[in-house]
Amino acid sequence: MTNKAEDQPGGKIKKMFPGRPRGRVPKGEVWMGTDFLAQAGFSDTPDNHSRLAHELGMDMICLPTADAMDCKPALGYRYFRPSDIRTAAGSGHHLVAAVVDGPLQEMVNRAGLMETLIGWVRDRKAFMEAYTREQEKILTLAAQCLDMGAQALVITDDMASERGPMISPGDIDTMCTGFYTRAVDMIHRAGRHLLLHSCGKITGLVPLFDRWKIDGLAAVQHGPNNLVDLQHQLPDGIIMAGIDADLLEPESSPGPEEDFSNTIALLRPSGGLILCSACGLYKGHHFDRIKRIYALAEKQGPGSA
């Protein structure tokens, strides 16, 4: 995941957050849900995402973005229009990223996971025709987001379960490489960054991600992957993660907090960490928990970035 002058450790982070104090780990969230904003006293608008991010000390805001809301599952957060990116970017206080469902994710949204995977096995020609239609829509949407001022894109495409890839890495290569190489080329030509989100254990797919030249991974789980090992596999890439779901629960024991602190201490020197939850901030009680987690992260002290 190298890119010209960004090849040095932490280079991509420095480019994304040029005014960041040395050693301070940037913070952001891929998903901030409606109930989470309500707990903080905000309605779910682009301006209020910016206000809450500022209140919490975040360095970036992410807006899930779509040009059509049909077939989108109810997951506790809303989707915004591309024009809302311009509103968020207009504040000038945060890096603004658009979060866009990838082609595979869109097919799952429409038909369900099992039906989509069965389609891949039974009729690959028909599957790829449908996948191609989705990818063209998404590339058009991504271009609109860039035009509206998005400084980064997060593409969400769940390719794995807790045990590993849902289909073989070779099949994912066949299915997805054409889309991702085009998306990366478009986004890099615009001077922006592309991060990929997939749930589950994705370590077996890292060589493929590296070949696509994406800039990093977003909202990845520590439990199935071990973020320290993942960072070693992607020494020049961004890891936007660090907070697994159990750490956000109010009854969280000292064990998860200690593990979190140790993990952040190991990841910080790479200069490629953006602190983020793996699951999103959806529930009202996440508001108090995320403030405590941020305080724990700051206690780790400056790193080498």
Side-chain angles (χ1 to χ4, degrees):
M1 293 187 181
T2 57
N3 185 11
K4 299 179 182 178
E6 299 175 4
D7 294 356
Q8 58 185 308
K12 291 186 173 72
I13 291 285
K14 291 171 184 174
K15 184 176 179 182
M16 289 177 74
F17 306 103
R20 175 182 60 102
R22 181 177 175 82
R24 181 181 175 276
V25 174
K27 305 174 184 70
E29 276 296 323
V30 176
W31 305 281
M32 289 201 296
T34 302
D35 288 347
F36 178 75
L37 273 85
Q39 181 66 26
F42 295 109
S43 58
D44 198 345
T45 68
D47 283 337
N48 286 339
H49 275 249
S50 297
R51 292 187 180 102
L52 182 53
H54 180 72
E55 180 176 319
L56 290 171
M58 293 181 181
D59 302 87
M60 66 185 293
I61 60 172
C62 300
L63 297 182
T65 308
D67 54 9
M69 307 303 171
D70 61 314
C71 298
K72 296 293 188 184
L75 295 174
Y77 61 87
R78 60 167 288 190
Y79 284 84
F80 294 88
R81 301 288 185 183
S83 57
D84 292 318
I85 298 290
R86 175 176 288 166
T87 300
S91 70
H93 299 307
H94 303 91
L95 180 144
V96 177
V99 183
V100 175
D101 288 341
L104 179 60
Q105 192 63 49
E106 284 286 42
M107 294 176 73
V108 170
N109 289 345
R110 295 179 185 280
L113 176 61
M114 291 309 300
E115 189 66 26
T116 300
L117 295 180
I118 288 170
W120 171 253
V121 173
R122 288 181 176 173
D123 190 342
R124 294 195 179 184
K125 181 176 183 293
F127 182 100
M128 288 307 299
E129 288 173 351
Y131 185 95
T132 299
R133 289 192 294 272
E134 294 297 341
Q135 82 170 6
E136 295 305 322
K137 295 176 188 175
I138 293 160
L139 290 170
T140 298
L141 174 60
Q144 291 174 339
C145 292
L146 296 177
D147 289 343
M148 292 294 168
Q151 294 147 294
L153 262 79
V154 178
I155 297 182
T156 64
D157 241 354
D158 286 341
M159 303 175 186
S161 68
E162 294 285 320
R163 300 178 63 182
M166 288 186 286
I167 57 176
S168 73
D171 283 351
I172 291 175
D173 185 6
T174 300
M175 180 192 300
C176 302
T177 291
F179 167 74
Y180 279 98
T181 53
R182 288 180 64 191
V184 166
D185 180 65
M186 177 180 70
I187 291 164
H188 284 178
R189 279 191 287 107
R192 322 292 170 84
H193 292 80
L194 188 151
L195 306 179
L196 172 64
H197 162 76
S198 173
C199 288
K201 185 175 182 178
I202 58 173
T203 49
L205 297 174
V206 169
L208 190 58
F209 299 159
D210 194 35
R211 183 151 57 84
W212 293 344
K213 301 187 184 303
I214 62 175
D215 296 296
L217 303 170
V220 290
Q221 297 162 272
H222 177 52
N225 296 292
N226 190 314
L227 295 178
V228 178
D229 291 343
L230 202 61
Q231 184 70 76
H232 288 159
Q233 288 183 271
L234 302 171
D236 302 311
I238 292 165
I239 302 292
M240 185 176 177
I243 306 168
D244 273 10
D246 60 344
L247 194 61
L248 289 166
E249 294 310 307
E251 63 276 11
S252 182
S253 66
E257 290 192 357
E258 183 178 351
D259 181 58
F260 166 77
S261 295
N262 292 337
T263 300
I264 297 307
L266 291 169
L267 289 171
R268 185 188 291 269
S270 72
L273 174 66
I274 301 174
L275 189 61
C276 173
S277 77
C279 58
L281 302 177
Y282 299 120
K283 302 174 184 177
H285 68 255
H286 288 169
F287 183 66
D288 289 330
R289 285 299 300 164
I290 198 66
K291 289 191 289 186
R292 172 164 175 77
I293 292 164
Y294 283 176
L296 287 172
E298 293 302 330
K299 286 182 181 179
Q300 296 305 308
S304 62

